[in-house]
Amino acid sequence: MKAGTLRPLYDAFGAYASVYLDTDRRSPDAARAIGLRWREAREALTGAGAREDTLDAIASLIADADLAAPGRAVFARDGAVTGTIGLRTTPALPVAELAPLPHLRHALADVPAAVPHLRVSASRAGGEIIAYYGPDLRAASGPADGARLDRQEARRTGEITAESWPVHKTSVGGWSQARYQRSAERAWAENAKELAAQVTRAASQSRAEFVVLAGDVRARSLVIDRLAPGVRELVVVLEAEVPPDDPELAAVADATATRIAAEECERSLSRWRELADHDQAVAGVQATIAAVRDGQAGTVFLCDDAALGSIAWLGVEGTDLATSQAELAERGVLAPLAERADEAIIRAAASTDAELFIVPGELASEYAPKDGVCAALRYPLPAPG
């Protein structure tokens, strides 16, 4: 992902409340259970010194039944929610932390990868397209209780409507039956042609990396036949007649996006390994912090247990970080605050527009960078003097 899309979450510095909570609402007493879990989290944040208006803003969002998800991450400061995201999995343990930065890494590891794509439902009468654009994560204007952190931006392109002639095969008998039959076939073909043209345009505009196509089996076939060759290669077929916003189609899209993102991560890690042989890559907390701080890191990788227990020291600016207070003082940053190294690296990556990968467990085991942290560099390390 482009880490720069996270930059709005770092508009301020200090006193961020980060909450990860089980918000599964499927059980009859879900609201009561969520309330109890939030009460414990609130008590922990109060003990850490969080402001009451900040906690009230989080409470309002947690209580919103429209934000159903197995889990929810919420980030807030100064009496407002600065971001929230629904999690695919229930947090193993609740998290309630007050820190200089919002703690994003676990949320970034949990959410489906935001890969631009189209979700299409085809029918013999036409069809409908929803285009999913980036950015990966964005701070979007929300209600009075703060901004919502949306994983992706979706836009409906509108329905493709049928032509005026018959669109269903008719059972009318007699001499005219063949004429009606041909008319219906022409209508299906014209509608498929129009839908395919709109899919091709939308794929180009959104830079879609894949297209999930559902709907009537005959209509799907007609649309695929009429897609531009480059777009046809992107199609993933869901053999079900469901609308483009159906949960079943969303599940296929999420699985496809996750696979594509993992493949991209693996290619990038392979490239990191190659660059390491030419002094254009680093590994370990100290080396990665130095690279990302100086704007030298082009791609940053964090494994799930990255920098476990490691601390960095921060200043107000996104690239004010070091592994010691003394090093920051040499750079003119006084009264720094301590923070988890992985979160500090994420903020610095956002400040320098680096690419950011949260490495899946199987790849983390295979590549095993030092401290679970590494970076590919924009230019080679200087030769030893």
Side-chain angles (χ1 to χ4, degrees):
M1 65 175 291
K2 297 289 186 183
T5 60
L6 301 172
R7 198 177 300 164
L9 290 168
Y10 300 110
D11 282 347
F13 178 64
Y16 274 95
S18 296
V19 176
Y20 286 73
L21 211 62
D22 178 345
T23 54
D24 194 328
R25 296 182 180 274
R26 288 175 293 183
S27 65
D29 64 341
R32 177 178 174 276
I34 292 170
L36 290 174
R37 288 190 285 269
W38 164 239
R39 187 173 70 183
E40 292 181 5
R42 181 166 189 149
E43 289 173 356
L45 288 168
T46 298
R51 286 172 35 169
E52 283 300 308
D53 56 352
T54 296
L55 299 179
D56 289 341
I58 298 174
S60 177
L61 188 139
I62 292 293
D64 189 343
D66 291 334
L67 296 177
R72 182 155 293 279
V74 187
F75 315 104
R77 75 182 308 278
D78 292 340
V81 172
T82 59
T84 181
I85 188 164
L87 305 175
R88 287 188 294 182
T89 56
T90 300
L93 293 171
V95 172
E97 299 171 324
L98 192 68
L101 301 178
H103 286 183
L104 303 180
R105 183 170 63 83
H106 290 303
L108 298 180
D110 180 272
V111 297
V115 179
H117 64 277
L118 304 182
R119 300 180 189 183
V120 183
S121 180
S123 70
R124 301 188 184 192
E128 189 176 6
I129 306 167
I130 301 179
Y132 280 75
Y133 297 82
D136 294 305
L137 294 169
R138 63 187 175 92
S141 298
D145 62 355
R148 299 289 170 84
L149 183 64
D150 294 330
R151 184 173 62 83
Q152 299 184 34
E153 177 187 1
R155 188 183 73 189
R156 288 181 182 271
T157 63
E159 294 188 2
I160 311 300
T161 58
E163 296 292 342
S164 57
W165 56 73
V167 295
H168 295 291
K169 289 189 176 181
T170 179
S171 59
V172 174
W175 66 269
S176 62
Q177 183 173 5
R179 177 172 60 83
Y180 276 103
Q181 188 91 345
R182 288 193 299 272
S183 182
E185 294 284 1
R186 284 198 299 270
W188 298 345
E190 287 301 315
N191 292 333
K193 180 180 178 181
E194 175 62 18
L195 181 58
Q198 290 211 26
V199 168
T200 298
R201 286 194 294 270
S204 175
Q205 291 167 359
S206 65
R207 299 183 180 180
E209 296 189 36
F210 66 92
V211 177
V212 182
L213 176 61
D216 175 84
V217 60
R218 173 64 173 152
R220 292 198 312 260
S221 177
L222 288 169
V223 169
I224 290 172
D225 289 345
R226 286 158 178 77
L227 287 173
V231 178
R232 189 181 307 140
E233 296 167 359
L234 305 179
V235 171
V236 177
V237 174
L238 170 60
E239 295 183 353
E241 293 189 38
V242 296
D245 55 359
D246 185 84
E248 186 178 1
L249 195 150
V252 173
D254 285 347
T256 304
T258 298
R259 174 182 56 78
I260 289 173
E263 291 170 351
E264 182 183 359
C265 183
E266 184 170 18
R267 286 192 297 270
S268 297
L269 277 169
S270 296
R271 178 62 175 160
W272 164 76
R273 185 176 279 172
E274 293 171 2
L275 291 172
D277 295 332
H278 299 86
D279 296 322
Q280 279 190 255
V282 296
V285 170
Q286 188 167 2
T288 302
I289 281 180
V292 74
R293 176 188 62 213
D294 297 338
Q296 191 178 12
T299 307
V300 175
F301 304 89
L302 292 170
C303 300
D304 194 43
D305 60 350
L308 189 63
S310 297
I311 296 297
W313 292 90
L314 310 178
V316 173
E317 300 301 322
T319 54
D320 289 345
L321 78 159
T323 53
S324 71
Q325 291 175 280
E327 187 179 358
L328 269 188
E330 291 175 1
R331 293 173 171 268
V333 180
L334 304 178
L337 298 178
E339 179 57 283
R340 286 170 42 158
D342 54 351
E343 299 295 348
I345 289 169
I346 291 172
R347 184 182 71 149
S351 299
T352 57
D353 290 322
E355 287 279 343
L356 175 65
F357 287 98
I358 307 298
V359 182
E362 60 276 11
L363 292 181
S365 299
E366 179 181 351
Y367 288 88
K370 180 183 177 182
D371 301 331
V373 183
C374 61
L377 307 181
R378 291 181 167 123
Y379 48 89
L381 291 167

